[in-house]
Amino acid sequence: MVSDLPAVREDGGGGIDRPRKFLHDGIPNGGTNGAPPNPPANLQPDFAAPKLTSYAPPAENGALYRTRQTFWPPLKAVPLASYYKLHRVPSLDSLTATVMAEEQNDVQAIELPHSEASHVEEPQDRSPPPNGLHNKILENIVRTPGRQPSPQPTHLSVPGSSQHRVLPDQGSGYVAPRFDGKDQQMDQVMDQIEEKGFIPPEFVESETNWFYNELGIDDMYFQTESVSAVVNHILSLYAGKVAAFARGDGRLEIRLDKEAADHAVYIDTSKPGISVVDGPRYEQRIDEKYINGSVGDRSYRVESFRSASHLPGEKEQQLRCYFVYKCQFAYPNPGLEETNLDIIGDKRFLQKATQNTRDIYQGVMNHAVNRTGPVIEMFEMEGSREKRLVIAYRQGSAMGLFSALSDLYHYYGATSSRKYVEQFSNGITIMSIYLRPLAQTPASMKHPPIEASIHQIMKEVSLLYCIPQNKFQGHFASGRLSLQETIYAHCVWVFVGHFLNRLGSEYKSLASILDPNNSAHVEMLSKIKRRLRTETFTSDYILEIINKYPDLVRALYLAFANTHYVQTRGEQDDFLPTLSYLRLKVDPVLNDSQLKDKIAKAVVNEHDEMVMTAFRVFNSAVLKTNFYTPTKVALSFRLKPSFLPEVEYPQPLYGMFLVISSEFRGFHLRFRDIARGGIRIVKSRNKEAYSINARSLFDENYNLANTQQRKNKDIPEGGSKGVILLDVHHQDKVRVAFEKYIDSIMDLLLKPVSPGIKDPIVDLHGQEEILFMGPDENTADLVNWATEHARKRGASWWKSFFTGKSPRLGGIPHDAYGMTTLSVREYILGIYRKLNLDETRVRKLQTGGPDGDLGSNEILLGREKYTAIVDGAGVLVDPQGLDRTELLRLANKRVMISEYDTSKLSTDGYRVLVDETNVSLPSGEVVNNGMVFRNTFHLRGGQHFDTFVPCGGRPESIDLSTVHKLIVDGKSTFPYIVEGANLFITQDAKLRLEKAGCILYKDASANKGGVTSSSLEVLASLSFDDTGFVENMCIRADGTAPAFYDAYVREVQETIKRNAALEFEAIWREHQQTGIPRSTLSDTLSIAITKLDEELQKTELWNNLTLRTSVLEDALPKLLLEKIGLEVIVQRVPDNYLRSIFGSYLASRFVYEHGSSPSQFAFFEFMSKRMARLNQQPGSDKTTTNINGAGA
């Protein structure tokens, strides 16, 4: 339509007076910040389809006003009790009384369409709802006994608390510095528009005024943009109007974007409360191009406004403007804990933010620097129903959150008038969103009032933070599925990708033929499994199948929610149930057999049925989850591993955690209740590598934990391992992924004690769980954070949570004290001792050089004649022996062989570095490529070595396809091999080498010193209280160690050597007796010990107090017994941990003495001797005891 207004310049002068005609509704000038003055009461709004008309002269005194529809009409206040009547599960008697009182006072409740209201009528009695739902009240859910307090990792304002402040209505909270040249720029803009001639002269001023005064654009934009840029924007907007007129459909669509080096502008038509799933998707673009990658001096702030007026002829459409600016920090590198906004703030923010906004941001910032996850605050706006939602989080920890938040509040019937994203140089992002309810229409009546929905939005921001852009976001944006349902589907999609059985009957047949106790067979099966994993069910194919069945997803989610959702305060709960949970009132909750039947009827083929059936498997496997915890940083699920097929995973797992976030997915697997193992992070070079890593993630984790289980034979902890796979688009998020992984698992280990922050969870496991972790690939520098974080969250076991931590936190570093090397050396020295070899005359090859932990300590402790060393730098060889003094220098300095002084080489010696080419050796051979030469040197023939000690190198460096290079005339070129590096030689290659006469001790036996050290570190952490731990086990600030610490380290070293010597002797003896290969005996001994250990813990032997005391006194370090006392240790250390010590000590001593296949009466004889010794001790209980622990 055309609005006729007087041709009067508001500034009173300057420029040419132009007649003004509008192609829009609204007034270009007058009022404040583009808002029109109140129209005369006699004028009625005029909304007509756009049409061009002739110019009409202005009304008298220029007082003609065009009434425009106010975007936010006054809304009738809706009693919350009325909404509760419709949506609470179940309702209260007192609530009913309240509603009746409201009705008596003529307060009208919300009315739903009949088809909906019929499902939610107020029940007349207190019987369970017909769908079988029973809400889980806090007192009735299964609770874990004795779990410890858990302060929140995130900050969330609790509804109904005093935390919500009412803010005076002071506009946007930002005041742009006045642009004094704005009027002059505006004249220049109109002059250039006229010169271009695209807009009729009579419309130039009106269009310019509309752009300058009606869109809510502040002076910062006009001060930043050039005149030509503003002209182009106005022309683009006018072109959109002309295009709408030309189409004849009356639908005005405007798309405008401009991206410069330091700023960007986007303008788009927008219908309040509607997420547009097609179109330019400017918010997603801003996320991907600017917000996601914001860090340091590459940070960007965002301002977004909704136009005050509607578009011409469009009662529902408005313009949404986005302005992006590159941040300018006065102090770009403050400390991460710095909170002073004047130091960490962007210059534009500091110029524009009001004192009120600065106060809000300062309070949020103070919380944010101390949190792992987001800070979520809400503020009421005085005199209106508008809410100001403020969210703070660490940069890079929530990719895509800005655009995802729009989908979230649209789902709950809210829209934003303005939004701000601020970046701070301490690495914190703060978003501020002003939310209003939609105008009242029949369609909007389905939404709860904003006074209720704002609390749901706050709760679900934490869920959104975990996975801002899930794989089913389209269903959420369109409103077909709720956020909970789509994220639930996303998690199951991950689950299905790992566990859908794809091996077929052929694998099962082969597995039944092979011996699961034969390590060579197990390794071969593992390789065959990798090859049989066909691509029938790719992640994209699984996604395609799930997308076809949103109704099934909804039904399956209801079953999940019915099990795990907890209404924490019962009927007095301040939180409304989530909208998807509200369906539990109106939709039937199906049991498993009903779900099975529903799936069978809905799917169209066998593949679809397999995928959707996996949802049922997932639901039944989840024992506890943080899915409904109000604050979280990633989603964690404790799964019951019984769904794993035995044919693929013959060794049953005890515990299994699945953790999912936008940056990663990860597992934590353990074979025993008390178990320990490292946490590794896996990176992928490209998308193809990621796909391969994702397919093998669980199997790799399982195999690593299984290897750890065999290696942990001497210690109370069983084997465990955690593997984190970084998403292909988040390869730089190592620290973020690790922190989220650890914190989300802790959600399931710690007792929630902060209502509204960490609400209780449904714990179907029902037992206290403690995990013991350590460093592994890409996590060595993160374990200190994990230890400190466990302490901050109130975990009583924070001291023992991680090994490998700094000595100042009580850690015992393996490299500094040579813990792993001590074990390896014991096997090497054992061979020399058995064969009467002179160590100093043994020729030695070592992979893993003086720069590595194991390699450097092997050089420092060994006295052999080194003739070759291979490391990351290249190959160093001297048949006459490398200079020992020079090697010691490199080992102490921890540097590669590239720094070896080559003047100390003999005439036969040489060094070839990886970056060298065409190197001539003393023999005349020419090395074409140094890298290839390094990688294959250990396989070269014609070398003369006695002992080979791999201390580093790639896994499977020697396998069945290459081992023949080490066998000449049926004889191994290496007489002795002690495998210090994990998995350097495959099991089948080990067997070939042993058959060729090599004396070989495998990694699971040789390098177990590190796990022994870590276990004793854990034991000390559990035995001391906090004060005693700091006093005796923590290195002081000046670097000095407590006397107890030094003495305890020495005892740990002696324990490592003693355990290694016991196993060496047992394997040597049994090989001599049976001829079974040593690498096989290593595994059979491990299996025998762990099996006997588990059996002993289940017997009544533990109940024999005298025997228990005797075993613990032998098993526990003497220093701990002297310092703390057995009685106190027993009180402090968890009972299941003590049982593990008891079982592992007896089992290992028995097997080391009697072998892996003892006679039927061997254990009886073993225990009889022990009991006889006990009965002979002075003051001992003379009661005889049989081996089952029952007194006679």
Side-chain angles (χ1 to χ4, degrees):
M1 65 173 292
V2 178
S3 296
D4 302 328
L5 288 138
V8 178
R9 291 295 302 279
E10 190 167 285
D11 56 13
I16 301 173
D17 289 344
R18 295 176 172 85
R20 289 173 286 177
K21 276 188 183 291
F22 288 5
L23 286 177
H24 58 82
D25 262 326
I27 298 175
N29 51 15
T32 304
N33 292 329
N38 295 325
N42 64 327
L43 293 181
Q44 298 299 319
D46 183 5
F47 297 102
K51 62 180 180 178
L52 294 174
T53 61
S54 60
Y55 171 68
E60 183 178 356
N61 299 324
L64 176 61
Y65 290 87
R66 206 69 163 151
T67 301
R68 116 185 110 125
Q69 184 186 35
T70 304
F71 178 60
W72 296 114
L75 296 182
K76 179 179 178 181
V78 180
L80 275 182
S82 300
Y83 178 73
Y84 274 48
K85 177 180 179 180
L86 294 170
H87 293 283
R88 289 307 296 270
V89 187
S91 61
L92 288 167
D93 292 338
S94 59
L95 182 57
T96 304
T98 304
V99 175
M100 291 176 63
E102 290 172 348
E103 291 172 349
Q104 291 173 359
N105 291 313
D106 295 327
V107 178
Q108 300 298 314
I110 301 175
E111 292 185 6
L112 290 181
H114 179 72
S115 60
E116 296 182 29
S118 63
H119 289 285
V120 291
E121 291 179 356
E122 187 70 15
Q124 299 302 312
D125 55 32
R126 304 300 301 224
S127 60
N131 61 5
L133 166 67
H134 295 275
N135 286 310
K136 295 167 183 61
I137 309 304
L138 172 59
E139 292 76 17
N140 299 329
I141 64 172
V142 180
R143 292 299 307 277
T144 301
R147 293 161 73 195
Q148 301 301 316
S150 172
Q152 64 272 25
T154 62
H155 176 89
L156 175 68
S157 298
V158 181
S161 74
S162 60
Q163 293 181 16
H164 300 313
R165 286 175 283 171
V166 178
L167 302 178
D169 187 9
Q170 297 181 350
S172 67
Y174 287 78
V175 178
R178 180 177 176 80
F179 176 30
D180 294 330
K182 184 175 181 180
D183 292 337
Q184 181 181 357
Q185 183 195 63
M186 188 173 173
D187 285 335
Q188 295 173 355
V189 166
M190 288 188 286
D191 290 341
Q192 285 197 20
I193 292 175
E194 284 187 336
E195 291 174 6
K196 291 183 180 295
F198 291 114
I199 299 180
E202 62 268 28
F203 295 151
V204 169
E205 186 171 358
S206 63
E207 291 301 313
T208 306
N209 274 314
W210 180 63
F211 185 81
Y212 268 78
N213 298 320
E214 283 293 300
L215 297 186
I217 304 173
D218 65 24
D219 282 9
M220 181 70 73
Y221 161 80
F222 297 106
Q223 190 168 6
T224 302
E225 295 289 352
S226 65
V227 170
S228 60
V230 176
V231 169
N232 287 334
H233 292 169
I234 294 174
L235 291 175
S236 298
L237 294 177
Y238 183 81
K241 299 176 185 180
V242 174
F245 174 78
R247 284 195 306 269
D249 58 8
R251 182 168 52 87
L252 180 56
E253 290 186 354
I254 294 174
R255 304 280 190 269
L256 186 152
D257 59 83
K258 177 204 169 183
E259 296 173 347
D262 59 351
H263 69 281
V265 177
Y266 305 93
I267 300 177
D268 189 16
T269 47
S270 171
K271 183 178 180 181
I274 301 298
S275 292
V276 180
V277 295
D278 51 10
R281 298 174 66 84
Y282 286 140
E283 290 195 349
Q284 286 79 3
R285 191 164 167 181
I286 291 170
D287 263 331
E288 293 169 3
K289 189 163 186 177
Y290 298 105
I291 300 178
N292 289 351
S294 284
V295 60
D297 60 359
R298 292 183 288 107
S299 297
Y300 293 86
R301 61 185 302 271
V302 181
E303 300 180 11
S304 178
F305 313 97
R306 184 178 293 280
S307 64
S309 63
H310 295 93
L311 295 174
E314 296 281 351
K315 297 182 180 181
E316 297 181 336
Q317 292 269 66
Q318 294 173 298
L319 284 185
R320 166 68 78 176
C321 305
Y322 303 90
F323 303 95
V324 183
Y325 301 100
K326 190 173 185 180
C327 293
Q328 300 175 16
F329 297 116
Y331 302 94
N333 297 302
L336 294 178
E337 304 301 317
E338 180 60 62
T339 59
N340 188 331
L341 297 186
D342 290 319
I343 295 176
I344 61 179
D346 164 69
K347 291 180 180 179
R348 284 191 179 90
F349 166 76
L350 295 176
Q351 287 176 347
K352 298 179 67 172
T354 63
Q355 187 59 47
N356 186 44
T357 292
R358 289 170 66 110
D359 291 343
I360 291 172
Y361 280 28
Q362 188 65 68
V364 169
M365 179 64 71
N366 293 340
H367 287 298
V369 296
N370 295 314
R371 304 294 177 195
T372 308
V375 173
I376 306 165
E377 289 270 17
M378 186 271 286
F379 301 88
E380 310 275 356
M381 302 303 292
E382 186 178 45
S384 75
R385 299 178 67 193
E386 190 171 58
K387 316 294 178 186
R388 186 174 184 181
L389 186 63
V390 181
I391 304 164
Y393 59 93
R394 296 192 180 276
Q395 286 177 339
S397 65
M399 302 300 203
L401 184 62
F402 177 67
S403 55
L405 282 169
S406 298
D407 294 335
L408 176 60
Y409 56 72
H410 288 164
Y411 183 82
Y412 283 100
T415 188
S416 63
S417 57
R418 49 198 184 276
K419 301 187 280 192
Y420 302 88
V421 180
E422 301 293 353
Q423 309 288 354
F424 296 88
S425 58
N426 65 345
I428 298 295
T429 300
I430 298 183
M431 295 183 182
S432 185
I433 304 173
Y434 292 76
L435 296 177
R436 293 176 174 177
L438 293 174
Q440 283 183 335
T441 64
S444 68
M445 295 298 289
K446 67 179 182 179
H447 298 295
I450 195 169
E451 290 77 9
S453 64
I454 186 64
H455 300 309
Q456 280 309 311
I457 293 170
M458 291 170 64
K459 284 180 66 177
E460 295 194 24
V461 166
S462 181
L463 186 61
L464 201 61
Y465 174 84
C466 298
I467 308 177
Q469 299 289 336
N470 70 73
K471 288 293 182 179
F472 305 92
Q473 193 78 14
H475 287 292
F476 174 46
S478 65
R480 191 168 188 181
L481 292 175
S482 71
L483 178 66
Q484 300 96 319
E485 288 162 341
T486 56
I487 290 185
Y488 162 78
H490 178 99
C491 293
V492 182
W493 169 74
V494 173
F495 175 87
V496 173
H498 289 293
F499 299 114
L500 199 61
N501 186 5
R502 296 166 289 185
L503 296 181
S505 58
E506 295 85 355
Y507 178 86
K508 186 174 182 180
S509 300
L510 181 61
S512 64
I513 297 171
L514 299 178
D515 180 7
N517 296 317
N518 186 311
S519 53
H521 289 189
V522 170
E523 185 170 310
M524 184 173 68
L525 267 178
S526 178
K527 292 180 178 180
I528 293 173
K529 183 195 296 186
R530 287 199 295 268
R531 290 184 176 272
L532 287 178
R533 291 266 192 214
T534 65
E535 284 298 297
T536 306
F537 289 92
T538 64
S539 59
D540 289 340
Y541 183 43
I542 295 169
L543 185 64
E544 178 186 330
I545 291 173
I546 298 174
N547 266 317
K548 291 193 297 187
Y549 302 104
D551 292 337
L552 286 182
V553 169
R554 184 179 297 114
L556 289 156
Y557 169 76
L558 286 178
F560 174 83
N562 189 38
T563 300
H564 294 284
Y565 183 91
V566 179
Q567 205 169 339
T568 53
R569 285 168 290 281
E571 297 178 1
Q572 305 295 338
D573 198 344
D574 291 334
F575 283 175
L576 290 171
T578 57
L579 286 192
S580 61
Y581 185 71
L582 288 174
R583 295 198 180 106
L584 289 170
K585 276 196 66 179
V586 298
D587 292 347
V589 180
L590 306 180
N591 60 36
D592 190 62
S593 63
Q594 291 171 322
L595 285 171
K596 181 179 180 181
D597 185 60
K598 185 178 181 71
I599 291 170
K601 292 178 180 178
V603 297
V604 297
N605 58 50
E606 183 182 1
H607 282 184
D608 291 12
E609 184 173 14
M610 290 175 66
V611 170
M612 300 313 297
T613 297
F615 278 73
R616 293 174 42 233
V617 176
F618 176 81
N619 283 359
S620 63
V622 177
L623 295 176
K624 51 185 173 180
T625 176
N626 69 348
F627 193 93
Y628 294 104
T629 300
T631 60
K632 51 192 167 289
V633 296
L635 296 173
S636 55
F637 303 89
R638 168 60 161 92
L639 303 176
K640 181 169 57 177
S642 58
F643 69 89
L644 294 172
E646 184 179 356
V647 66
E648 293 187 48
Y649 306 101
Q651 185 74 13
L653 286 168
Y654 176 87
M656 176 178 175
F657 289 85
L658 169 62
V659 186
I660 301 172
S661 176
S662 58
E663 296 88 1
F664 70 94
R665 62 181 66 176
F667 289 99
H668 185 274
L669 310 178
R670 71 191 201 273
F671 282 94
R672 296 248 297 272
D673 181 16
I674 300 298
R676 198 191 64 77
I679 308 299
R680 68 169 52 181
I681 294 179
V682 176
K683 295 182 176 182
S684 308
R685 294 187 306 276
N686 49 46
K687 192 170 184 178
E688 181 182 0
Y690 173 79
S691 178
I692 294 170
N693 289 336
R695 287 199 303 271
S696 63
L697 174 63
F698 181 80
D699 284 351
E700 178 185 348
N701 199 158
Y702 179 90
N703 292 333
L704 287 169
N706 204 6
T707 299
Q708 194 74 32
Q709 170 82 348
R710 295 195 299 269
K711 190 184 294 186
N712 290 9
K713 60 179 77 71
D714 295 322
I715 61 176
E717 300 98 337
S720 72
K721 208 73 172 183
V723 178
I724 301 168
L725 175 64
L726 294 177
D727 184 80
V728 66
H729 301 298
H730 297 280
Q731 293 298 300
D732 59 337
K733 296 294 189 302
V734 170
R735 187 176 190 91
V736 169
F738 180 82
E739 291 183 359
K740 289 186 175 184
Y741 174 89
I742 294 298
D743 189 79
S744 59
I745 286 180
M746 290 178 66
D747 284 344
L748 304 185
L749 302 179
L750 297 173
K751 178 182 178 181
V753 294
S754 307
I757 302 297
K758 289 294 180 186
D759 282 345
I761 60 175
V762 175
D763 186 353
L764 301 180
H765 183 58
Q767 300 176 27
E768 181 181 15
E769 291 189 284
I770 302 176
L771 301 184
F772 301 102
M773 302 179 180
D776 207 311
E777 292 179 13
N778 298 311
T779 62
D781 58 342
L782 301 173
V783 296
N784 287 349
W785 174 88
T787 302
E788 296 281 13
H789 188 64
R791 176 159 59 177
K792 287 179 182 178
R793 288 201 60 178
S796 61
W797 32 260
W798 68 269
K799 304 184 298 295
S800 60
F801 186 37
F802 259 86
T803 57
K805 54 187 177 290
S806 166
R808 67 179 179 82
L809 293 172
I812 301 176
H814 297 173
D815 59 340
Y817 297 103
M819 298 303 190
T820 304
T821 310
L822 285 172
S823 179
V824 174
R825 288 301 305 169
E826 201 62 38
Y827 283 84
I828 296 172
L829 294 175
I831 294 173
Y832 299 161
R833 185 175 62 251
K834 292 291 185 182
L835 301 179
N836 295 316
L837 298 177
D838 181 354
E839 178 183 356
T840 60
R841 302 184 65 178
V842 173
R843 296 167 300 180
K844 182 176 180 181
L845 164 65
Q846 178 178 312
T847 58
D851 62 311
D853 298 345
L854 187 55
S856 62
N857 284 318
E858 179 64 24
I859 291 172
L860 293 172
L861 295 178
R863 296 189 300 128
E864 295 94 339
K865 178 182 177 181
Y866 273 93
T867 52
I869 293 180
V870 181
D871 71 0
V875 178
L876 181 66
V877 178
D878 194 334
Q880 306 305 318
L882 295 167
D883 185 89
R884 178 163 178 76
T885 303
E886 181 66 3
L887 287 179
L888 292 176
R889 182 184 71 83
L890 299 185
N892 283 311
K893 194 178 177 182
R894 288 288 177 91
V895 293
M896 294 186 183
I897 59 170
S898 55
E899 295 196 22
Y900 186 90
D901 183 358
T902 54
S903 66
K904 298 183 182 297
L905 291 173
S906 71
T907 55
D908 297 327
Y910 59 87
R911 183 184 66 190
V912 179
L913 302 180
V914 292
D915 56 356
E916 293 180 333
T917 57
N918 300 321
V919 179
S920 296
L921 303 184
S923 64
E925 179 185 355
V926 176
V927 175
N928 296 319
N929 185 301
M931 178 71 74
V932 174
F933 185 73
R934 189 278 308 271
N935 291 344
T936 59
F937 181 82
H938 64 283
L939 299 173
R940 285 169 58 87
Q943 308 295 317
H944 300 287
F945 305 108
D946 299 313
T947 298
F948 177 28
V949 183
C951 293
R954 297 171 60 83
E956 301 186 0
S957 291
I958 302 174
D959 61 14
L960 201 57
S961 66
T962 58
V963 70
H964 67 275
K965 296 180 181 181
L966 302 178
I967 301 173
V968 178
D969 297 329
K971 187 173 179 63
S972 171
T973 58
F974 292 121
Y976 325 117
I977 298 178
V978 176
E979 189 182 25
N982 280 323
L983 306 176
F984 188 85
I985 311 172
T986 63
Q987 182 69 12
D988 46 13
K990 290 187 180 85
L991 296 177
R992 291 287 298 274
L993 287 168
E994 289 205 60
K995 187 176 181 181
C998 178
I999 297 176
L1000 190 152
Y1001 282 88
K1002 68 181 296 182
D1003 52 351
S1005 295
N1007 67 11
K1008 65 180 181 178
V1011 301
T1012 303
S1013 174
S1014 296
S1015 178
L1016 293 174
E1017 179 186 326
V1018 167
L1019 181 59
S1021 302
L1022 294 171
S1023 300
F1024 280 110
D1025 59 16
D1026 286 4
T1027 302
F1029 183 75
V1030 171
E1031 179 182 338
N1032 293 284
M1033 287 297 295
C1034 295
I1035 301 297
R1036 303 184 182 96
D1038 60 3
T1040 60
F1044 179 87
Y1045 183 92
D1046 286 337
Y1048 191 68
V1049 167
R1050 288 193 295 271
E1051 184 168 7
V1052 170
Q1053 292 174 324
E1054 291 303 315
T1055 302
I1056 289 171
K1057 291 193 287 186
R1058 183 168 59 251
N1059 287 343
L1062 284 172
E1063 183 174 358
F1064 172 85
E1065 293 292 343
I1067 293 175
W1068 186 277
R1069 181 182 64 248
E1070 192 153 349
H1071 173 74
Q1072 296 289 97
Q1073 293 173 353
T1074 65
I1076 297 173
R1078 294 178 178 85
S1079 53
T1080 300
L1081 287 173
S1082 176
D1083 292 332
T1084 55
L1085 281 175
S1086 297
I1087 294 171
I1089 291 173
T1090 54
K1091 184 177 180 181
L1092 179 58
D1093 178 7
E1094 293 169 359
E1095 292 174 352
L1096 286 173
Q1097 292 184 48
K1098 298 174 184 177
T1099 67
E1100 295 182 5
L1101 288 174
W1102 172 258
N1103 298 328
N1104 186 314
L1105 185 59
T1106 304
L1107 176 62
R1108 182 198 312 174
T1109 301
S1110 170
V1111 172
L1112 291 178
E1113 285 176 344
D1114 289 344
L1116 296 174
K1118 303 304 178 190
L1119 279 174
L1120 282 181
L1121 292 171
E1122 293 170 3
K1123 187 74 175 180
I1124 303 173
L1126 179 60
E1127 184 176 346
V1128 176
I1129 291 175
V1130 169
Q1131 292 174 356
R1132 292 175 177 170
V1133 178
D1135 183 72
N1136 52 358
Y1137 196 92
L1138 291 172
R1139 283 177 177 266
S1140 294
I1141 294 175
F1142 176 85
S1144 64
Y1145 183 82
L1146 281 179
S1148 62
R1149 268 47 188 177
F1150 169 73
V1151 173
Y1152 288 154
E1153 182 177 337
H1154 294 274
S1156 58
S1157 302
S1159 67
Q1160 186 175 355
F1161 301 100
F1163 188 72
F1164 179 85
E1165 179 185 357
F1166 174 79
M1167 290 304 300
S1168 297
K1169 290 179 180 178
R1170 187 171 191 93
M1171 297 307 301
R1173 289 198 304 271
L1174 285 178
N1175 293 330
Q1176 292 172 4
Q1177 292 177 2
S1180 66
D1181 185 358
K1182 300 298 181 181
T1183 303
T1184 59
T1185 306
N1186 63 27
I1187 61 172
N1188 290 322

